[in-house]
Amino acid sequence: MARIEFQNLAHAYRPKPATLDDYALQPMSMVWEDGGAYALLGPSGCGKTTLLNIVSGLVKPSEGKVLFDGRDVTALGARERNIAQVFQFPVIYDTMTVFDNLAFPLRNRRMPAAEVKKRVHEVAEILDMTRDLPHKASNLAADAKQKISLGRGLVRQDVAAILFDEPLTVIDPAMKWMLRRQLKKIHQQLKLTLIYVTHDQVEALTFADEVVVMTNGRVVQKGGADALFLRPDHAFVGYFIGSPGMNLCPIELDADGARIGSQRLTLGAATLAALGDAHQQAKSPLTLGIRPEFVRLAHEGEAGAVKVEVLRAQQLGNYQLVTAQCDGHLFNAKLEPHVRVVNGPAWLRVAAPETVFFCNDERIDARNAEGATQ
Ligand code: ATP
């Protein structure tokens, strides 16, 4: 397995890109550690497949270099890079047995028959397909066929990396969960360098050690579940991760402190100073971000709280989702199911230890445990 490095890499499908918007992948430098399990997460069209194809060699980047263990492979094709790739839909030979399908990549590399047999059985066992080995692949259901595709990706141990492009799309939900767990286990056992493309945050967070979040051709954060949840580097990460995502609300500063619309918001002196500095430097809008999990009901006039109009409270089993409006801005709060909430005026604490602030959508290091309100 390899350590993969992008050096000043960028890709534009159109010639002579003039602005950042012309790039499918904006300029970046990044390292994928040897043996790391990464997920590429982002909405449709954000550049995930382009990035994956640049790793595999299917797309040559228009700028910059790709290094495998320090060796420049930018000009090499997929085969020379020794990459295994698993696509959205099964790529298998219907007329062959499951055994022969799994053995194919190994026989292609002239591995001795006894070793092929051993390795195929190991992978079949991991995927719970041992019983299927003698059967023709054509007789299997779509998800079993996709398991064979996964197996063909996993069977070779000499590859630089294994790339998965939304491999569980055709798998039914119950099986998806099981396969995700299995992939994670396989990764822990074999320490493969895995890059897994998905637009499903649960899939990304279950599978990967580090999730690479992309939007508009740009990597906005690379990190573990905690960092993405608690310290999103970019407002997009706040919005995209979580269900519902982070509350994002514009705030303004004046001589007396901070406001949400016409509502005064009491913040600590250090927080106000950091917000003021960031705004001064970037001359860009400020945004408050708080996850629905950390919003709570407050007393009138409490520091960090604002007056809201509760619009609705939906009981959703182990929590209730309360939606409230503050000067035209909506806030969601996940509250304990037994907390009594009525539609109408209330106070919500939105500046809490967990609150983060963004300037021009980039996180400012303004908040800390007591920082927001004291
Ligand atoms: P999806 O989840 O829908 O597959 P994605 O995140 O994988 O999307 P890409 O397929 O990498 O995104 O596309 C990134 C951008 O590049 C999009 O604007 C897309 O239209 C454009 N693009 C992708 N492939 C080509 C191509 N061969 N020629 C021109 N533009 C392309």
Side-chain angles (χ1 to χ4, degrees):
M1 292 287 150
R3 176 182 192 269
I4 300 168
E5 192 177 347
F6 290 171
Q7 282 183 351
N8 305 315
L9 184 120
H11 187 68
Y13 287 101
R14 62 177 70 180
K16 300 199 181 112
T19 67
L20 286 178
D21 288 342
D22 293 337
Y23 286 91
L25 264 193
Q26 296 185 17
M28 69 168 96
S29 292
M30 205 161 121
V31 169
W32 312 79
E33 294 296 348
D34 189 356
Y38 297 95
L40 274 182
L41 177 69
S44 185
C46 71
K48 305 181 295 291
T49 302
T50 303
L51 194 156
L52 201 72
N53 288 342
I54 286 175
V55 175
S56 69
L58 289 175
V59 168
K60 185 173 180 305
S62 52
E63 295 170 26
K65 288 183 186 169
V66 181
L67 309 183
F68 279 17
D69 289 330
R71 188 170 68 103
D72 186 350
V73 298
T74 320
L76 301 186
R79 205 178 152 76
E80 296 153 291
R81 290 189 193 187
N82 207 7
I83 289 279
Q85 197 154 0
V86 181
F87 298 94
Q88 225 170 4
F89 298 101
V91 181
I92 59 165
Y93 299 103
D94 262 347
T95 52
M96 289 186 187
T97 62
V98 174
F99 184 97
D100 288 340
N101 265 288
L102 292 175
F104 192 83
L106 303 176
R107 289 177 177 151
N108 234 354
R109 307 241 148 199
R110 308 201 184 292
M111 184 185 265
E115 271 179 60
V116 170
K117 190 173 169 195
K118 180 168 171 276
R119 186 70 194 136
V120 166
H121 274 96
E122 277 169 10
V123 169
E125 188 159 328
I126 287 170
L127 293 171
D128 195 20
M129 294 202 84
T130 308
R131 270 174 299 138
D132 296 315
L133 285 175
H135 302 138
K136 278 250 164 45
S138 57
N139 298 330
L140 299 174
D143 49 13
K145 287 185 180 176
Q146 185 63 346
K147 282 211 299 185
I148 304 176
S149 283
L150 287 173
R152 283 162 56 98
L154 295 169
V155 77
R156 280 175 53 207
Q157 285 170 306
D158 62 340
V159 288
I162 307 180
L163 312 183
F164 298 96
D165 196 351
E166 309 231 20
L168 303 185
T169 310
V170 293
I171 308 272
D172 80 60
M175 175 89 77
K176 240 184 206 178
W177 186 83
M178 194 193 78
L179 280 178
R180 274 201 306 256
R181 307 283 316 166
Q182 271 174 346
L183 276 178
K184 191 160 178 94
K185 219 166 88 193
I186 293 165
H187 174 255
Q188 283 159 353
Q189 277 168 7
L190 305 178
K191 289 283 163 234
L192 309 165
T193 308
L194 301 180
I195 306 180
Y196 188 108
V197 166
T198 178
H199 57 259
D200 177 337
Q201 55 170 302
V202 176
E203 201 155 297
L205 293 166
T206 347
F207 164 78
D209 304 329
E210 281 208 311
V211 177
V212 176
V213 184
M214 296 183 68
T215 178
N216 292 330
R218 195 179 145 206
V219 171
V220 281
Q221 189 162 1
K222 179 167 173 268
D226 271 10
L228 299 179
F229 191 75
L230 296 171
R231 294 177 303 285
D233 284 348
H234 192 275
F236 177 79
V237 178
Y239 150 81
F240 198 67
I241 301 278
S243 179
M246 183 173 251
N247 295 296
L248 296 167
C249 177
I251 56 167
E252 281 162 78
L253 301 183
D254 59 25
D256 296 324
R259 280 183 290 110
I260 293 179
S262 60
Q263 291 255 358
R264 182 66 49 204
L265 175 68
T266 313
L267 297 176
T271 304
L272 279 173
L275 292 176
D277 286 352
H279 182 58
Q280 195 64 31
Q281 271 177 25
K283 302 269 182 285
S284 296
L286 296 168
T287 308
L288 171 149
I290 183 162
R291 296 235 173 247
E293 288 77 359
F294 303 126
V295 177
R296 65 161 172 76
L297 291 174
H299 308 296
E300 183 173 345
E302 191 179 320
V306 281
K307 191 172 177 190
V308 297
E309 185 76 11
V310 172
L311 304 179
R312 60 183 168 271
Q314 292 165 274
Q315 287 293 344
L316 294 171
N318 58 349
Y319 68 93
Q320 58 177 319
L321 184 64
V322 174
T323 306
Q325 186 174 222
C326 172
D327 220 285
H329 303 288
L330 289 184
F331 280 93
N332 286 316
K334 279 184 170 180
L335 303 182
E336 296 279 327
H338 57 80
V339 173
R340 196 175 119 74
V341 182
V342 285
N343 288 359
W347 285 76
L348 282 186
R349 188 190 64 158
V350 296
E354 300 84 1
T355 300
V356 291
F357 296 94
F358 303 93
C359 182
N360 198 20
D361 289 340
E362 311 280 344
R363 181 168 54 87
I364 312 166
D365 252 318
R367 85 283 161 268
N368 58 39
E370 282 79 41
T373 54
Q374 290 175 20

